[in-house]
Amino acid sequence: MNFKNLNKGQFDLICGQLVKSRCGRDKDRIFIIKEILDDNYVLLIDGDLRKLEKPKLKKIKHINKINMALIDYKNLNDSQIRKAIKKYKEDSVNV
């Protein structure tokens, strides 16, 4: 469950990247990009409300990028994803 920093100038989204929801019921919630569908939509997971089996379809314009990504996120289960997001939140508060 390791993170890697992304270049701040990098504009493209990647699978495994952390994002924050800007709109909707899930506003200000942290997610991980499971899959990029096209130029407008992504599938998001958080291991809690949005599990691996039922990711959230979200428009790219409704999310904010976080310059962190999970390494090898595909081999994680819902519990490990929740722990990774929790670890990111704790680390960002302590900075």
Side-chain angles (χ1 to χ4, degrees):
M1 189 167 31
N2 295 322
F3 292 103
K4 70 176 177 179
N5 282 322
L6 302 176
N7 296 334
K8 293 203 182 247
Q10 186 174 351
F11 292 104
D12 295 333
L13 296 171
I14 61 168
C15 292
Q17 184 172 1
L18 277 75
V19 295
K20 187 174 187 177
S21 176
R22 294 185 346 184
C23 303
R25 247 182 270 194
D26 55 11
K27 183 178 180 182
D28 295 330
R29 205 171 168 96
I30 304 291
F31 291 97
I32 295 171
I33 296 176
K34 179 180 180 188
E35 186 178 342
I36 300 169
L37 299 178
D38 58 26
D39 291 340
N40 296 316
Y41 291 96
V42 291
L43 293 177
L44 304 175
I45 54 175
D46 68 357
D48 185 23
L49 295 176
R50 293 299 175 168
K51 299 189 189 284
L52 288 166
E53 303 85 42
K54 192 165 183 190
K56 173 152 185 72
L57 179 69
K58 191 95 169 160
K59 284 189 176 185
I60 292 174
K61 68 180 182 179
H62 292 156
I63 58 175
N64 286 334
K65 289 187 342 178
I66 298 172
N67 289 321
M68 298 287 281
L70 270 176
I71 298 171
D72 201 26
Y73 75 98
K74 290 183 180 181
N75 295 329
L76 300 179
N77 60 31
D78 289 320
S79 173
Q80 292 167 325
I81 290 170
R82 281 192 306 271
K83 288 177 187 173
I85 291 173
K86 183 179 178 184
K87 181 178 186 260
Y88 166 75
K89 287 180 182 177
E90 289 171 355
D91 290 348
S92 66
V93 168
N94 293 331
V95 170

